[in-house]
Amino acid sequence: MSDSADDETPMLGMDLPEMAPQPSSGPYRVLARKYRPQTFAELIGQDAMVRTLGNAIARDRLAHAFLMTGVRGVGKTSTARLIAKALNCIGPDGQGGPTIDPCGVCEPCRAITEGRHIDVIEMDAASNTGVDDVREIIEAVRYAAVSARYKIYIIDEVHMLSRNAFNALLKTLEEPPPHVKFLFATTEVNKVPVTVLSRCQRFDLRRITPDMLFAHFSSILQKEGVEAEAPAIWLIANAAEGSVRDGLSILDQAIAHADLDGGGTIAAAQVRVMLGLSDRSSIAQLMATILEGDAGAAIDLARAQYALGIEPVAMVRGLMDLTHAITLAKVSRHDDPALAEADRERIGDWAKKLGFAPLNRLWQLLLKGHDEVLRATNPLEHLEMLLLRVIYAASMPDPGELAKLLEKGGVPAMPLAAPAAPAAQESMAVEPVAVVEAAATESADTPASALTVAQIHQLLESTGNHRLAVDVYDHLRIITLEPGNLVFAPVAGLGASFARDLGDALLAQTGSRWQVREGEGEGRPSLGNIRAAALADNDARIRELPVVKAALAAFPDARLVDGADNRHKSNP
């Protein structure tokens, strides 16, 4: 018997799976659940709310209904559970009262933490939206709590309740029994009726800043025994967008990603690949090609990134982030801890070289292109067209820069004066009408009392004789113009009664009789002819500018537009 027993003992010992000890921690819990705040001290970023609740509990001025609102993952449901524990905690000795620091060891605290307390009822309004679900609450609030100090109803996503359900809850919510507290949580407070909001004490939970998230994640990684590069943690903190839960989910994924790679350390490059973010160095190279105007290199870089799995919209976002960083660097407000020293220097160099106007145009082009690429059926094609648009439009000087360039003599000046004008050269700011008036002025031996053609035109305009003023401006070619005597060249555009009508108009305005007649010869050019020649000459000079030549080459369909005020010329 003993021999057989001895023989059987080693055989039992070989059954290792049955004899191996099971982990005491049980199944793996994700970080978002494992590190859910259990005390108000662990609730990060909500100091104002914690202070308000602490003072209310200390002064015994507790509201009957609380509403927590904020973006996803900032601790709304966790706060509701903490309030439930704070109100029902009895302390380790069983003699405690409501406190902002629940002990976590008494039966009510442990039961609420484990979600099994009979007097703390959690309800998901997304799946219990009807008036019948609310009617059950109304019926139950009449009964006192079974074992706790307060009966607490936690309603998550309360904005999902139907209109009738909200109406049914209003009376009970306004005057609940003294042993009942309502705790609501929602991400869309604008969908909660104002009648409900007015009956609740509202707490707006703020987004968690990247600095707080970085410190929180670093602490969790230390507890988990996982090493990580600081830029990697910053990337995760920024990707969380103010949500602790989202950040912990990304951190969970990053830990798994690092382990699978065999290094065991969370690296920034791995996090970028995991999140689908474009590589900073590649985006910097793409930005450099854009600023240099190298369209071919920009297209090649974009296609190479696309072949590596980077989405076109991610590349546009990367360019937008870089443009934003450069702009902030110009005002000394850029501080991204995730950046390497080389990237900081590169952004600083660009900030010194680029002005606010080109950066603003670049931002606007990328912002508009982002929506186009996001909605495109073929995002890569839209990205390539966007890059070409940015290259040829963002680097063009604005009117202010062009004016400064002209003042410094960077390009030749462009006088508007026509050859028939006086010798004085005019700048770009000279109005064409001034040139016309100067060209139409009589010679120095003309008496001071004599009228010029331009003055005759203005005189007719001021008296409302628009038809005759237009004829003078467009067709009147002067042969002789003396006081009381006007001889003009025959022009087909002038009617048979032009001489008589102009003489009568001059008599009425000057009080002197004028002899207006048609003579022989071509006469001097009309006011309209002088202005047209001046504009044509100015147009030719503008087109010779290097900047304008480059613009017309980049945009073949572009045309020069005369923005001058034409008030001096009336419509017929």
Side-chain angles (χ1 to χ4, degrees):
M1 293 291 293
S2 61
D3 293 339
S4 62
D6 292 337
D7 294 338
E8 291 178 1
T9 301
M11 294 179 63
L12 292 173
M14 293 177 62
D15 194 3
L16 295 179
E18 294 183 7
M19 299 299 293
Q22 296 296 325
S24 59
S25 59
Y28 175 72
R29 299 177 68 196
V30 295
L31 296 179
R33 293 188 59 192
K34 184 176 180 179
Y35 292 97
R36 183 187 290 270
Q38 300 303 321
T39 64
F40 282 104
E42 297 176 2
L43 190 66
I44 62 175
Q46 313 301 340
D47 298 338
M49 182 194 67
V50 174
R51 187 183 305 112
T52 303
L53 287 173
N55 293 340
I57 292 174
R59 299 174 182 176
D60 194 20
R61 300 178 64 89
L62 287 168
H64 59 271
F66 298 90
L67 174 69
M68 274 70 68
T69 179
V71 298
R72 67 198 184 282
V74 293
K76 297 183 296 297
T77 306
S78 296
T79 300
R81 293 176 181 174
L82 290 176
I83 294 175
K85 287 200 295 185
L87 298 182
N88 286 326
C89 178
I90 59 176
D93 58 357
Q95 303 300 317
T99 174
I100 195 64
D101 296 313
C103 65
V105 298
C106 65
E107 177 56 26
C109 284
R110 287 189 287 109
I112 293 173
T113 300
E114 297 169 6
R116 56 178 175 82
H117 201 293
I118 192 172
D119 292 321
V120 178
I121 301 96
E122 291 196 32
M123 170 182 163
D124 178 20
S127 55
N128 300 277
T129 62
V131 67
D132 292 336
D133 302 303
V134 172
R135 189 175 290 118
E136 293 180 7
I137 297 177
I138 298 173
E139 293 294 328
V141 296
R142 296 183 297 175
Y143 304 101
V146 176
S147 62
R149 187 178 295 112
Y150 293 101
K151 179 182 282 188
I152 296 177
Y153 288 90
I154 300 176
I155 303 180
D156 203 6
E157 301 300 335
V158 68
H159 67 275
M160 299 293 288
L161 288 178
S162 66
R163 185 181 185 87
N164 291 335
F166 273 123
N167 292 334
L169 186 62
L170 285 180
K171 187 61 178 177
T172 303
L173 185 60
E174 184 173 12
E175 298 178 357
H179 61 271
V180 174
K181 301 291 183 184
F182 288 98
L183 304 177
F184 300 143
T186 178
T187 54
E188 301 184 50
V189 69
N190 59 301
K191 293 185 178 180
V192 179
V194 67
T195 50
V196 174
L197 294 176
S198 65
R199 290 165 168 82
C200 300
Q201 193 170 97
R202 173 175 168 177
F203 293 105
D204 290 87
L205 277 67
R206 53 177 288 189
R207 288 178 182 267
I208 313 303
T209 63
D211 292 342
M212 293 181 178
L213 290 175
F214 178 85
H216 186 55
F217 296 161
S218 299
S219 174
I220 290 177
L221 287 171
Q222 187 176 3
K223 295 175 182 178
E224 292 290 317
V226 178
E227 296 182 358
E229 298 176 356
I233 305 177
W234 279 112
L235 286 173
I236 296 174
N238 290 326
E241 296 180 348
S243 170
V244 181
R245 185 176 61 237
D246 287 7
L248 289 176
S249 298
I250 298 173
L251 187 61
D252 237 336
Q253 185 180 356
I255 293 174
H257 190 78
D259 288 341
L260 289 175
D261 286 349
T265 300
I266 302 177
Q270 294 173 335
V271 173
R272 284 191 170 279
V273 173
M274 183 188 72
L275 296 178
L277 300 176
S278 55
D279 180 57
R280 283 188 186 273
S281 61
S282 300
I283 290 298
Q285 293 176 11
L286 186 58
M287 176 65 79
T289 59
I290 291 174
L291 297 179
E292 293 170 2
D294 193 343
I299 297 296
D300 292 340
L301 283 173
R303 291 178 178 176
Q305 286 285 290
Y306 184 75
L308 293 175
I310 306 300
E311 291 296 326
V313 69
M315 287 184 256
V316 180
R317 287 172 184 160
L319 289 171
M320 293 176 68
D321 291 341
L322 189 52
T323 304
H324 179 254
I326 297 171
T327 307
L328 291 184
K330 287 191 69 66
V331 293
S332 302
R333 289 296 183 271
H334 180 254
D335 184 20
D336 187 355
L339 279 180
E341 188 61 30
D343 294 330
R344 293 174 183 272
E345 293 178 359
R346 181 160 42 195
I347 289 175
D349 291 340
W350 279 331
K352 294 177 182 177
K353 296 176 182 178
L354 296 174
F356 282 108
L359 286 172
N360 181 62
R361 285 197 301 273
L362 182 59
W363 173 263
Q364 294 296 332
L365 290 166
L366 292 173
L367 184 63
K368 184 176 184 298
H370 176 271
D371 294 336
E372 296 176 357
V373 175
L374 188 63
R375 298 192 306 265
T377 55
N378 192 327
L380 181 59
E381 290 183 356
H382 280 69
L383 173 63
E384 292 175 352
M385 296 303 295
L386 171 62
L387 292 176
L388 294 176
R389 185 194 314 162
V390 169
I391 287 173
Y392 286 108
S395 59
M396 292 181 61
D398 59 21
E401 293 175 347
L402 184 58
K404 292 180 181 179
L405 189 62
L406 290 171
E407 290 177 1
K408 294 178 180 179
V411 290
M414 297 173 296
L416 278 176
Q425 295 294 316
E426 304 292 338
S427 67
M428 290 183 63
V430 175
E431 291 287 343
V433 66
V435 179
V436 171
E437 292 178 2
T441 304
E442 294 302 299
S443 59
D445 57 354
T446 302
S449 59
L451 290 175
T452 65
V453 178
Q455 291 171 339
I456 293 174
H457 170 261
Q458 293 174 359
L459 187 64
L460 296 173
E461 279 284 5
S462 63
T463 57
N465 200 337
H466 301 302
R467 182 189 60 79
L468 196 59
V470 170
D471 286 342
V472 169
Y473 188 90
D474 289 340
H475 305 298
L476 183 61
R477 302 173 66 90
I478 296 295
I479 297 176
T480 301
L481 179 57
E482 300 172 347
N485 183 34
L486 189 154
V487 182
F488 61 92
V491 178
L494 297 178
S497 62
F498 172 77
R500 183 183 67 252
D501 295 342
L502 182 57
D504 294 343
L506 291 175
L507 173 62
Q509 296 302 319
T510 64
S512 302
R513 184 173 298 279
W514 280 72
Q515 184 179 4
V516 180
R517 61 186 178 84
E518 183 179 295
E520 296 182 357
E522 295 184 357
R524 293 190 291 272
S526 66
L527 295 177
N529 296 144
I530 295 173
R531 182 173 185 275
L535 291 177
D537 180 73
N538 185 59
D539 184 273
R541 293 171 183 266
I542 290 176
R543 290 178 180 275
E544 291 300 318
L545 286 173
V547 173
V548 178
K549 281 186 175 181
L552 293 176
F555 303 99
D557 296 333
R559 59 188 181 89
L560 294 177
V561 178
D562 176 21
D565 188 357
N566 292 329
R567 286 176 296 178
H568 60 278
K569 180 178 179 179
S570 302
N571 294 325

